[in-house]
Amino acid sequence: MNRLVLLQDGQATPFELTAGEMVIGRLPECDIQLPSNMVSRKHAKISKDGDDFILEDLKSGNGTFINGQRLSGKQRLSPNDRIKFGPVLCRFEAPQAAGTSDTDSARRALESATGIGNVEIQEDQPGDSASTIVGAIDNAGGFGLLDVRPQEKLKAVLEISRSLAGTLDEEKLLPKILDSLFGIFPAADRGCILLKDVKTGQIVPRAMRHRRPDEDSSVKMSRTILKAVLEEKKAILSADAASDKQFDASESISALTIRSMMCVPMLDLRGEPVGAINIDTQNPLTQFKNEDLDILIAVAGQAAMSYESAKLLKSFVEKEKQDNEMNIARNVQHALLPEHLPEIDGYEFFASYDSAQAVGGDYYDIIPTKDGRIWIAFGDVAGKGVPASLVMSRMSSVVRSVSEFVTDASEAMARINDHMCAKAVEGRFVTFVLMILDPETHKLTVVNAGHMSPMIRKPDGTIEEFDDEMIGLPIGVLEGFTFDQAEREIAPGETVLVYTDGVSEAMDPDNELYGMEQLREFVAKASPNPRELGIALREDVRRHAKGRPQNDDITMLAFGREA
């Protein structure tokens, strides 16, 4: 059944929409009569168009509004749309369309209004707001002045603490705060909580409650008052008579209401406003007083602490979940690295991987091939953390795949590069070295794609590095690039070291780099044994850092021929 529900004085009066066209206005002959001088004689009309209903304003004096937006021309109505004819509030009710929930319809209606829910933040006319404020407390922080009415404040704080105990979900906490306020302030008719949106910084209504379940009237708030509460941390006591400019002299006295309202800030642990609590009463015999404002400040302090605690707990739970997921990701990434290094007569291998974060972008692999050779792949993805680790995992898969059917080092590097270029992420290139070792002939073939040259330590301690001219572009930069290769024989007692820039660019607390010269000097004086060299170099880099947190992944791989 389609109907228009009049929401007035805490009562809901339905009007069935049965005719093809129904006029809404103040005159008795209107199909739907709204008894208010603020409604025009013939204010608007609703027309049926198939299964839909179209609302049209008939050039009314005070306008027609749908979900807070003034209507110009015609507009199709959706279930739960909130319609105002001047100050008179109605709600359009209709059967839900298939696949559309009440929540979806309500959300559409609320998103187009000012804020959410039936809270209206209104601009003040010159002189209005000052006349309505009957009390204010500056710097209403924390729990207020505890020496002012301490017994009542303590009782109120204990009551709300007991009500909120055990509630850790912030979405469930806010309605509970309002329930507690209605218990502390028996005169309160309506209450709402507004919070700052973290992303936009805008104040957004997050919870609202009416004492009478059938009431659906809007809470009107002054933007000036709200600004004073949030920016100046003031607690405001306001009373405004719904007469003067809002009603004609002919309006009945029974329709006049005097709304008493209190609005106080909610402050976080740093004393900064995160939102506001607003409650009001329309009973002229139970208007709020300054003493009530003092108590509300204390209650708001406890409510804000409970809300902050719920937020912190939620953040903690999310952080733990992320940590668990990162631990899983780290285990998955480590599983991509070689579990065992090859054992080859006359050779020894060593590798060390130390990421700056839970996962990293450094990569190495040692792959025995069907022809008896050993592929030694070593790379460094631009960046670090999760994005780099994803590129690293793809790189690992591509290298393993190419090693199955390509034997030439230059061709293999070109194939790897083309694969990575096919679905490259902008800015995520890989500096990469591919070395192919033949243990029978001791021949080492090297192709370098933008990485630092491997170091070869000779038995006499001298360091040899490959010519810079053979260094090609990093992987993932240019598809179809041709890479050069270099060959040399590994002599007895020679050790090959390849490393990422996390080694050479490790910094101490004074921002001094470990540096290439220090690296070459250390390798020259170190043991020729790959394992001893790698462990000693790793410790020397840590010694240089002097406890400074690692700022990049540190990975090294060494192998050598026994003397």
Side-chain angles (χ1 to χ4, degrees), residues 375 397-406 412 415-416 419:
W375 278 40
S397 174
V398 169
V399 172
R400 284 269 172 176
S401 176
V402 171
S403 70
E404 291 287 334
F405 59 88
V406 180
R415 294 286 188 92
I416 293 169
H419 273 292

Side-chain angles (χ1 to χ4, degrees), residues 500-507 512-515 551-552:
T500 60
D501 55 8
V503 175
S504 58
E505 295 179 2
M507 289 190 291
E512 291 292 331
L513 296 176
Y514 187 77
N551 67 323
D552 200 357

Side-chain angles (χ1 to χ4, degrees), residues 381-413:
V381 180
K384 49 185 176 288
V386 174
S389 71
L390 294 175
V391 177
M392 174 270 194
S393 63
R394 182 162 180 256
M395 188 75 181
S396 172
S397 174
V398 169
V399 172
R400 284 269 172 176
S401 176
V402 171
S403 70
E404 291 287 334
F405 59 88
V406 180
T407 57
D408 181 76
S410 294
E411 182 185 352
M413 185 69 89

Side-chain angles (χ1 to χ4, degrees), residues 195-509:
L195 298 175
K196 280 187 177 180
D197 185 274
V198 177
K199 296 180 179 179
T200 65
Q202 299 295 316
I203 192 72
V204 179
R206 291 283 300 276
M208 184 173 179
R209 187 182 186 282
H210 294 81
R211 184 174 294 278
R212 294 184 293 275
D214 60 339
E215 186 179 359
D216 198 19
S217 57
S218 299
V219 171
K220 299 178 177 64
M221 297 187 64
S222 159
R223 191 176 298 277
T224 301
I225 289 179
L226 192 58
K227 183 177 181 181
V229 169
L230 294 174
E231 295 184 2
E232 303 174 28
K233 304 178 187 179
K234 284 186 176 182
I236 302 294
L237 173 62
S238 172
D240 60 286
S243 55
D244 300 336
K245 301 172 184 177
Q246 296 189 27
F247 288 88
D248 295 336
S250 59
E251 190 75 27
S252 65
I253 296 298
S254 62
L256 296 180
T257 58
I258 299 178
R259 183 171 66 100
S260 178
M261 180 271 290
M262 294 189 293
C263 189
V264 300
M266 292 176 66
L267 306 180
D268 62 16
L269 299 176
R270 298 170 299 175
E272 294 301 319
V274 294
I277 295 178
N278 182 90
I279 61 174
D280 66 22
T281 178
Q282 292 183 314
N283 188 339
L285 301 179
T286 57
Q287 300 292 288
F288 293 128
K289 301 180 176 61
N290 283 324
E291 305 91 83
D292 298 315
L293 189 62
D294 280 329
I295 293 177
L296 183 57
I297 292 173
V299 171
Q302 180 61 39
M305 286 185 62
S306 299
Y307 177 69
E308 284 292 296
S309 298
K311 282 177 58 181
L312 290 173
L313 179 63
K314 182 179 179 181
S315 299
F316 173 75
V317 171
E318 290 177 351
K319 178 66 165 57
E320 278 212 324
K321 181 181 178 181
Q322 290 175 355
D323 288 346
N324 291 335
E325 291 175 348
M326 291 303 293
N327 286 333
I328 294 172
R330 179 177 58 192
N331 294 336
V332 170
Q333 185 176 41
H334 284 189
L336 297 175
L337 301 176
E339 186 175 354
H340 302 289
L341 299 179
E343 296 180 3
I344 301 174
D345 289 341
Y347 282 89
E348 183 170 354
F349 291 81
F350 171 81
S352 173
Y353 177 84
D354 190 6
S355 60
Q357 300 177 15
V359 291
D362 285 2
Y363 159 72
Y364 72 89
D365 205 351
I366 301 177
I367 309 168
T369 58
K370 297 175 183 178
D371 57 6
R373 297 188 300 172
I374 304 294
W375 278 40
I376 302 163
F378 193 91
D380 183 2
V381 180
K384 49 185 176 288
V386 174
S389 71
L390 294 175
V391 177
M392 174 270 194
S393 63
R394 182 162 180 256
M395 188 75 181
S396 172
S397 174
V398 169
V399 172
R400 284 269 172 176
S401 176
V402 171
S403 70
E404 291 287 334
F405 59 88
V406 180
T407 57
D408 181 76
S410 294
E411 182 185 352
M413 185 69 89
R415 294 286 188 92
I416 293 169
N417 178 59
D418 290 346
H419 273 292
M420 296 299 291
C421 283
K423 292 186 179 180
V425 179
E426 186 177 353
R428 294 293 173 183
F429 58 85
V430 185
T431 63
F432 182 66
V433 175
L434 175 61
M435 295 178 283
I436 301 179
L437 173 66
D438 188 337
E440 296 295 328
T441 63
H442 310 294
K443 185 176 75 172
L444 181 70
T445 304
V446 179
V447 184
N448 192 333
H451 201 79
M452 291 86 66
S453 170
M455 288 185 183
I456 300 178
R457 184 191 184 281
K458 296 182 179 181
D460 61 1
T462 57
I463 302 297
E464 178 184 329
E465 295 176 82
F466 290 93
D467 196 331
D468 288 346
E469 292 182 1
M470 67 159 288
I471 299 178
L473 292 176
I475 297 295
V477 173
L478 180 62
E479 189 172 3
F481 186 81
T482 301
F483 294 88
D484 296 329
Q485 67 181 39
E487 296 179 353
R488 85 183 295 281
E489 182 180 333
I490 301 298
E494 288 188 334
T495 303
V496 180
L497 172 70
V498 60
Y499 54 92
T500 60
D501 55 8
V503 175
S504 58
E505 295 179 2
M507 289 190 291
D508 65 9

Side-chain angles (χ1 to χ4, degrees), residues 28-49:
E29 58 264 30
C30 289
D31 300 294
I32 299 177
Q33 184 185 12
L34 301 179
S36 171
N37 286 339
M38 297 293 287
V39 176
S40 298
R41 292 179 175 85
K42 291 186 177 181
H43 197 104
K45 70 176 180 179
I46 293 181
S47 306
K48 190 173 183 181
D49 181 12

